[in-house]
Amino acid sequence: MASVVRSSKFRHVYGSAYKREECFENLRVALSAWDTNYVTANPKYVAVNWNAGGGGAFVVVPHALAGKLRGEYPLFSAHAGAVLDTAFSPFDDDVIASGAEDHQAMVWRVPDDLAEREEDVTQPLVVLGGHGRKVGHVVWNPVAEGVLAVSSSDYTVRVWDVARGQERQTLRGFNDAVLSVAWNHTGSLVAATCRDKKLRIFDARAGAVVQEGASHTGVKASRVVWLGAEPRLVTTGFSRSSCREVCLWDAGSLATPISKLELDMSAGTLMPFYDASTSMLYVAGKGDGNIRYYEYADDKLYHLADYQTPDPQSGLGVLPKRGVDVAKCEVMRFYKVASDSLVEPISFRVPRKAETFQADIYPPAPAGQPALSADDYFAGKNADPVLADMSAVYRDGPLV
């Protein structure tokens, strides 16, 4: 991959951490051995996996309660094993899914009185059972309402109709544990990396493997992300000699990557995040304090800059684009697990002095509205995501 910096409106994007009083403190983040982000966010809340001792739990904190979390804050606790992953619904900010070591996924509604209540939330909306081993990932479909992909260590990814609590498809063909799962932008395909060192693309409704290829040759964790509407994917992983790698793939043929970037010999998993609005890929390493960012164009990844801090990150969550501060030219916001008690927001901005809406850096972005019902989706209909004009975010604030 090229490292040449082209002329770009995002060439001088910079990251800055929030002040300590704007961070989330007094947490008990469960830093399990399972490769997860530990934290997820939407325009209303931040959620983290909670170190609950026995059983499993997670916590949901409104942005308005940033600072030191009060003692005895309510947890979401119905899992019998440690919670490994959480994900907010893209279409309802008060709905969140969780997966845990107890072989179950659950979907919850955040109560209106969360900030004031004292008792835990113990009744999920629906329990999605039937998984043979622990549930490692829960990932919502970006287009269809109430469609959830759930990966398990039983070597499957199951596609659920959440409203009916019904499993609609099981994706098979893995020879080892699934390491990451990602929907394409229309929600018709699922890409997954696996400990068997293969990258696979499935038709989510037919259950068939449509593409398969050898991925990273190292034994450590690998992840995958789609590059927006482009038929391209990026994977992160390790070489046989334990060098960290970033590979760019053509979704139509996984025989060999389009290009490969070798980064360093650090041991931490690389976490990739893609912003389709800016065509920027962010790559962050667990156990280090770096976030590298690139611009994708012409089947190349052009390195822009690095955000560097001496404080390592254990995980990162990303805010949906409809929640960023458009008035401050913020194009990305991460929530960094800086320790087992602290989550720190990091804002990435384009340095501009203009006080008007910057339309060139804010094309329409996902509006947080479904394009299809679950019934239409499973009937075979396809649709692009519903987009919103980001000038509305500039004018009225985050789309909640």
Side-chain angles (χ1 to χ4, degrees):
M1 295 181 184
S3 59
V4 177
V5 177
R6 306 174 305 128
S7 175
S8 168
K9 67 187 74 172
F10 303 112
R11 180 173 178 175
H12 300 292
V13 166
Y14 68 97
S16 59
Y18 277 37
K19 296 178 181 178
R20 187 65 180 238
E21 59 267 23
E22 298 174 307
C23 298
F24 296 83
E25 296 187 79
N26 202 28
L27 305 174
R28 291 173 54 189
V29 185
L31 302 178
S32 65
W34 183 257
D35 180 31
T36 181
N37 290 340
Y38 305 120
V39 59
T40 185
N42 69 15
K44 291 182 71 173
Y45 307 107
V46 173
V48 296
N49 302 355
W50 195 261
N51 186 354
F58 63 95
V59 67
V60 176
V61 185
H63 290 290
L65 295 186
K68 289 189 176 181
L69 193 67
R70 64 176 169 88
E72 304 303 319
Y73 189 84
L75 305 177
F76 289 70
S77 58
H79 285 287
V83 171
L84 300 179
D85 195 24
T86 58
F88 283 108
S89 165
F91 310 127
D92 188 334
D93 289 336
D94 294 312
V95 171
I96 186 171
S98 59
E101 289 185 348
D102 62 0
H103 305 184
Q104 293 182 327
M106 298 181 182
V107 178
W108 311 72
R109 177 164 290 281
V110 179
D112 294 335
D113 65 345
L114 179 67
E116 296 81 26
R117 75 185 280 143
E118 297 180 357
E119 69 275 11
D120 289 351
V121 182
T122 58
Q123 294 295 325
L125 292 175
V126 62
V127 176
L128 309 177
H131 305 277
R133 299 178 68 181
K134 63 185 177 184
V135 169
H137 306 96
V138 286
V139 189
W140 293 96
N141 188 291
V143 167
E145 187 167 25
V147 176
L148 184 71
V150 178
S151 80
S152 169
S153 292
D154 63 5
Y155 306 170
T156 67
V157 175
R158 300 167 193 257
V159 181
W160 290 87
D161 179 340
V162 170
R164 290 183 168 84
Q166 181 181 1
E167 180 187 325
R168 298 299 298 264
Q169 188 55 263
T170 301
L171 311 183
R172 305 182 186 275
F174 302 101
N175 300 313
D176 208 327
V178 178
L179 298 176
S180 71
V181 177
W183 295 94
N184 71 337
H185 89 292
T186 62
S188 58
L189 300 175
V190 169
T193 58
C194 180
R195 192 163 281 131
D196 64 9
K197 304 176 185 177
K198 295 290 185 67
L199 171 62
R200 296 175 177 88
I201 300 175
F202 293 83
D203 183 315
R205 289 167 288 200
V209 177
V210 295
Q211 287 291 333
E212 179 177 325
S215 186
H216 303 274
T217 55
V219 297
K220 297 180 182 179
S222 174
R223 293 196 181 190
V224 62
V225 64
W226 290 84
L227 300 191
E230 298 289 333
R232 299 289 184 268
L233 308 97
V234 160
T235 58
T236 58
F238 294 80
S239 69
R240 187 173 286 107
S241 59
S242 296
C243 178
R244 296 200 292 189
E245 300 175 327
V246 178
C247 290
L248 175 66
W249 302 84
D250 178 358
S253 174
L254 301 181
T256 184
I258 296 172
S259 58
K260 180 186 296 184
L261 175 63
E262 296 183 344
L263 297 186
D264 54 38
M265 298 296 291
S266 296
T269 300
L270 290 172
M271 301 174 285
F273 303 90
Y274 186 69
D275 177 12
S277 297
T278 59
S279 299
M280 287 177 61
L281 175 75
Y282 299 78
V283 179
K286 283 193 175 186
D288 61 56
N290 299 334
I291 302 177
R292 300 170 172 89
Y293 40 108
Y294 306 82
E295 185 173 10
Y296 170 73
D298 306 319
D299 268 349
K300 295 180 180 179
L301 291 175
Y302 295 91
H303 182 244
L304 295 173
D306 294 358
Y307 169 79
Q308 296 180 319
T309 171
D311 302 318
Q313 58 234 355
S314 300
L316 286 175
V318 64
L319 187 71
K321 199 57 174 272
R322 58 190 172 88
V324 300
D325 191 339
V326 177
K328 294 182 179 179
C329 294
E330 183 182 53
V331 292
M332 195 70 154
R333 190 189 308 167
F334 289 103
Y335 288 83
K336 169 183 172 177
V337 179
S339 72
D340 60 2
S341 63
L342 175 67
V343 169
E344 175 188 64
I346 301 172
S347 176
F348 285 83
R349 301 175 183 176
V350 178
R352 291 191 176 179
K353 295 182 179 180
E355 297 181 358
T356 57
F357 175 64
Q358 305 293 293
D360 63 318
I361 61 173
Y362 289 113
Q369 301 173 8
L372 294 172
S373 67
D375 288 342
D376 286 343
Y377 174 78
F378 287 113
K381 293 185 179 179
N382 293 311
D384 290 325
V386 176
L387 302 181
D389 191 327
M390 290 294 287
S391 63
V393 180
Y394 174 81
R395 183 180 64 249
D396 303 324
L399 296 179
V400 178

